[in-house]
């Protein structure tokens, strides 16, 4: 029997490959509480690296399979999270005692109010923790299903494919890049916060001008 640590990207990829990407991204994209503890950015980027081949090593995962599984997991997870929010999401958030969950829910609600459905759902995909609670919060707030589905699909596909392809391109161009995955994943996490920081800075700058 293979021991798998769902919090460890290397363990998930080694045991399940592309299907592991689908399952984890699905849960991380909308399953309240559970999704907070699962890797998102830190799974997609290494998965892309493992899809690359070089003169020293063959590809360990199929690129097209990882891309499809990442997109399906992201979009399906977002829709399920939305349905959770529509059917009792506020009660779940109210009962939780985790400050991290409540704080993320408050930020998600603020993001939706400040930027509107489209921009919030796309930007929120790139922010760790926030993307897990954003879709249930959208459902709880009564965001219409059609615009939600459109924008969360766009955000989910853009986020998932960008990270996988970034890892793939780096793995294909830098020999033995998988030896440096840990610091690279740290860079990815920091970079994933930039869209929200940029929008916050622009918003504050606009308020000061007005």
């Amino acid at each position: 029997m293979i021991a798998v640590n769902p919090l460890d990207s290397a363990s998930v990829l080694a045991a399940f490959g592309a299907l592991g990407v689908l399952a984890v991204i699905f849960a991380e994209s909308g399953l309240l509480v559970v999704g907070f503890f699962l890797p998102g950015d830190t799974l997609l980027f290494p998965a892309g690296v493992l899809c690359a081949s070089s003169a020293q090593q063959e590809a360990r995962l199929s690129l097209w399979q990882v891309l499809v599984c990442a997109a399906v997991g992201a979009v399906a997870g977002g829709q399920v999270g939305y349905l959770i929010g529509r059917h009792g999401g506020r009660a779940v958030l109210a009962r939780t005692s985790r400050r991290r969950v409540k704080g993320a829910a408050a930020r998600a609600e603020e993001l939706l109010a400040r930027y509107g459905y489209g921009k919030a759902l796309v930007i929120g995909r790139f922010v760790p923790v926030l993307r897990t609670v954003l879709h249930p919060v959208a459902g709880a707030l009564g965001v219409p299903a059609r615009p939600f589905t459109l924008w969360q699909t766009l955000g989910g596909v853009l986020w998932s494919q960008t990270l996988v392809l970034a890892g793939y391109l780096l793995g294909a161009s830098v020999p033995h890049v998988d030896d440096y995955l840990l610091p690279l994943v740290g860079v990815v996490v920091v970079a994933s916060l930039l869209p929200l920081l940029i929008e916050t800075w622009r918003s504050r700058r606009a308020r000061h001008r007005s």
Side-chain angles (χ1 to χ4, degrees):
M1 182 178 293
I2 301 174
V4 179
N5 179 4
L7 307 182
D8 179 23
S9 299
S11 177
V12 171
L13 293 172
F16 302 113
L19 290 178
V21 172
L22 191 156
V24 170
I25 297 304
F26 173 85
E28 202 249 4
S29 294
L31 297 187
L32 280 171
V33 182
V34 176
F36 282 100
F37 302 99
L38 297 174
D41 301 329
T42 56
L43 178 69
L44 294 173
F45 187 79
V49 171
L50 295 178
C51 292
S53 59
S54 63
Q56 294 81 18
Q57 186 167 298
E58 294 183 359
R60 283 160 282 181
L61 294 175
S62 168
L63 178 61
W64 76 266
Q65 290 179 357
V66 171
L67 287 171
V68 169
C69 286
V72 170
V75 174
Q79 288 299 128
V80 170
Y82 175 78
L83 292 175
I84 291 174
R86 287 290 291 268
H87 302 283
R90 279 196 176 276
V92 173
L93 291 171
R95 285 198 302 268
T96 183
S97 59
R98 296 183 181 277
R99 293 183 180 179
R100 191 181 183 188
V101 176
K102 290 185 175 180
R107 290 196 299 274
E109 191 167 348
E110 180 184 355
L111 192 69
L112 287 164
R114 179 181 298 178
Y115 299 120
Y117 307 150
K119 187 180 288 188
L121 289 168
V122 173
I123 292 175
R125 276 286 187 176
F126 290 84
V127 183
V129 179
L130 181 61
R131 66 173 155 264
T132 301
V133 78
L134 179 61
H135 307 121
V137 166
L141 292 176
V143 174
R146 184 172 295 180
F148 172 84
T149 300
L150 170 65
W151 290 110
Q152 82 90 3
T153 298
L154 176 62
V157 171
L158 183 63
W159 166 66
S160 62
Q161 307 303 279
T162 297
L163 283 173
V164 171
L165 290 174
Y168 173 77
L169 292 174
L170 188 63
S173 58
V174 180
H176 304 295
V177 69
D178 50 337
D179 294 338
Y180 308 99
L181 275 181
L182 189 59
L184 286 172
V185 164
V187 172
V188 170
V189 172
V190 172
S192 68
L193 296 172
L194 289 179
L196 183 60
L197 294 176
I198 291 172
E199 286 299 324
T200 301
W201 176 76
R202 286 178 177 174
S203 178
R204 289 179 178 177
R205 189 177 181 183
R207 286 201 301 269
H208 287 316
R209 286 179 177 178
S210 59

